Amino acid sequence: MRFLDAEFVQGFIRMADDGWKQGWHERNGGNLSYRVKEEEVKSVKENFGQGEWKPIGTNVPDLAGEYFLVTGSGKYFRNVIQKPEDSVGMIELDDQGRNYRIVWGLTGGGKPTSELPSHLMNHEVKKLSTDGRYRVIYHAHTTNVIALTFVLPLKDEVFTRELWEMATECPVVFPAGIGVVPWMVPGGREIAVATSKLMEKYDVAIWAHHGMFAAGEDFDLTFGLMHTVEKSAEILVKMLSMQPAKMQTITPEDFRNLAKDFHVDLPERFLYEK
């Protein structure tokens, strides 16, 4: 099978293009990665080359030998749909999870996203905590979420509660809540470690003054999660611009009733009285 004809590759390209169309990926902002299934690897392996092994910048032993489809460092999401072989690459990890090599794409000397350590450390956390179900990690520069990190306390409880209150679907879509990482230099091990700790509890982490990091089972669920959080943030930004004090809202007891009807578990620490 031609590499670009594979369904998982087409899904990856579509998600990148959807993010661009939302306005979340100015210039070379944001990155996307997908942990490829074994049968998917086999279906396109005839297209592979063998690049030079290079250090990941972290150690992910539980991902040893796995393959990932990733966006490239310095590449623009707007170009993924037009020049996927230049903007996207398939990488293979070695048998210790310390090094990677490019087996397809990123032509002309391209490299995987500079935030590869964050992606792989979070893939490892999600693989272990979900019995391998989670395969997508997505980072985007979501405008309204970023704006809120300048005016709300950088606390999990505050961001979760405020965003839950903006749209009834939110506690159903992300019932575990949202984690918040204070500002850190992107692309390094420090922010990767901080994010992976939050991903042990949540599927979404907000990077203060930078964007959002989301994890999910497939492209639709992960994009839908990011989209839901950002839309809720947009509603909150609009509400605060009209009137900082809410005239009415969803109460803690309302959330408990919602959880009962939708069969989700909402942690009580988010249902505090204001």
Side-chain angles (χ1 to χ4, degrees):
M1 178 189 296
R2 196 173 78 103
F3 190 88
L4 291 174
D5 291 336
E7 184 177 356
F8 76 94
V9 179
Q10 287 296 310
F12 187 97
I13 292 171
R14 179 193 173 191
M15 182 166 169
D17 193 54
D18 285 345
W20 158 250
K21 289 174 179 174
Q22 289 293 326
W24 300 341
H25 299 284
E26 76 294 335
R27 201 170 181 272
N28 63 319
N31 27 74
L32 174 64
S33 64
Y34 171 68
R35 185 167 60 87
V36 187
K37 297 176 183 177
E38 185 176 348
E39 61 270 24
E40 292 170 335
V41 173
K42 290 179 180 178
S43 72
V44 296
K45 206 160 190 176
E46 64 190 64
N47 300 276
F48 288 178
Q50 290 189 350
E52 176 186 352
W53 289 108
K54 297 181 179 180
I56 295 168
T58 190
N59 184 22
V60 284
D62 289 295
L63 299 178
E66 297 230 36
Y67 290 80
F68 294 83
L69 196 58
V70 299
T71 50
S73 177
K75 303 299 182 179
Y76 293 23
F77 266 56
R78 72 186 296 263
N79 293 334
V80 169
I81 198 166
Q82 294 182 327
K83 296 181 179 179
E85 68 281 353
D86 178 70
S87 306
V88 173
M90 176 89 94
I91 63 171
E92 175 189 7
L93 304 195
D94 68 10
D95 59 4
Q96 293 184 317
R98 292 182 179 274
N99 301 285
Y100 76 89
R101 65 180 175 184
I102 299 170
V103 298
W104 183 91
L106 293 174
T107 56
K111 299 183 295 183
T113 169
S114 62
E115 287 170 344
L116 186 63
S118 289
H119 278 257
L120 293 181
M121 289 180 71
N122 284 284
H123 272 293
E124 186 175 51
V125 166
K126 285 305 186 184
K127 178 185 177 182
L128 295 174
S129 63
T130 68
D131 295 324
R133 289 182 294 107
Y134 278 43
R135 291 186 172 272
V136 181
I137 297 290
Y138 183 32
H139 168 51
H141 296 174
T142 44
T143 308
N144 293 283
V145 164
I146 295 171
L148 290 175
T149 65
F150 291 93
V151 297
L152 292 182
L154 299 178
K155 297 181 179 179
D156 301 1
E157 292 83 358
V158 174
F159 267 84
T160 296
R161 178 63 176 277
E162 292 302 320
L163 294 176
W164 274 4
E165 287 186 24
M166 292 301 104
T168 301
E169 68 177 315
C170 287
V172 178
V173 174
F174 49 97
I178 290 178
V180 183
V181 179
W183 189 88
M184 295 182 182
V185 175
R189 179 172 170 78
E190 184 180 4
I191 195 169
V193 170
T195 308
S196 62
K197 286 181 179 178
L198 289 178
M199 282 291 179
E200 293 175 2
K201 299 186 289 184
Y202 309 118
D203 289 343
V204 182
I206 292 172
W207 287 356
H209 322 319
H210 185 163
M212 238 195 306
F213 217 73
E217 295 183 35
D218 57 33
F219 298 123
D220 284 346
L221 288 171
T222 311
F223 187 86
L225 174 60
M226 183 82 74
H227 200 184
T228 302
V229 175
E230 170 62 4
K231 185 172 184 179
S232 182
E234 181 182 0
I235 297 169
L236 181 54
V237 167
K238 289 180 176 180
M239 187 222 80
L240 292 172
S241 69
M242 292 186 291
Q243 179 172 305
K246 299 169 188 170
M247 297 294 293
Q248 53 272 322
T249 190
I250 304 172
T251 68
E253 193 57 34
D254 291 335
F255 282 123
R256 295 184 184 101
N257 291 332
L258 182 75
K260 182 178 179 181
D261 287 354
F262 280 85
H263 307 290
V264 293
D265 182 21
L266 302 182
E268 279 292 321
R269 68 191 182 96
F270 299 133
L271 304 181
Y272 54 87
E273 294 292 340
K274 295 183 179 179

